[in-house]
Amino acid sequence: MSYAPHIVYSLAITTFSIHLIAQRNGFREERSRVAAQLSILESIRDRLQSGERIPPDEMQSLRKLARPDSAEDYHEEITWTEAFLGKKDIKTPANDGSS
């Protein structure tokens, strides 16, 4: 009796489950990040609507906090060969030439 199909099915289900958990955690992190950005922008709006003057250095730091991080938006596809053997040419957001 061969157990190979059962092993393959079990491995596929386990891999799929791990992938779904990772995606769920990624969505949760993204939702938290957007909520934080929205909170910062709403506080700036409320302060400006109430007539409060925000110093330029504080405004700049708040805007920087509210701005999405460009390094997090950088995604690159990786093949199985690159995953096991390594990648010869590693690109980062700073040196990929797309800025």
Side-chain angles (χ1 to χ4, degrees):
M1 185 182 242
S2 174
Y3 293 107
H6 299 290
I7 293 172
V8 171
Y9 297 145
S10 299
L11 183 62
I13 290 172
T14 303
T15 303
F16 185 66
S17 300
I18 291 171
H19 176 71
L20 287 178
I21 290 171
Q23 281 216 322
R24 183 176 60 191
N25 291 339
F27 290 141
R28 185 179 300 142
E29 289 173 7
E30 180 68 20
R31 191 177 308 126
S32 297
R33 187 175 17 262
V34 169
Q37 291 171 348
L38 186 60
S39 173
I40 291 168
L41 293 173
E42 286 175 344
S43 72
I44 292 172
R45 181 199 63 197
D46 294 341
R47 288 173 66 182
L48 291 174
Q49 282 181 345
S50 69
E52 182 180 344
R53 189 176 185 303
I54 302 174
D57 57 337
E58 183 181 353
M59 179 64 101
Q60 185 176 3
S61 66
L62 288 173
R63 287 173 61 191
K64 187 176 181 181
L65 284 173
R67 186 176 307 131
D69 189 14
S70 62
E72 293 175 2
D73 295 336
Y74 183 80
H75 298 287
E76 184 177 346
E77 294 295 322
I78 298 174
T79 64
W80 283 105
T81 307
E82 292 170 343
F84 286 114
L85 301 178
K87 191 169 181 178
K88 295 177 185 176
D89 169 353
I90 297 176
K91 292 181 183 176
T92 61
N95 68 4
D96 69 352
S98 65
S99 5

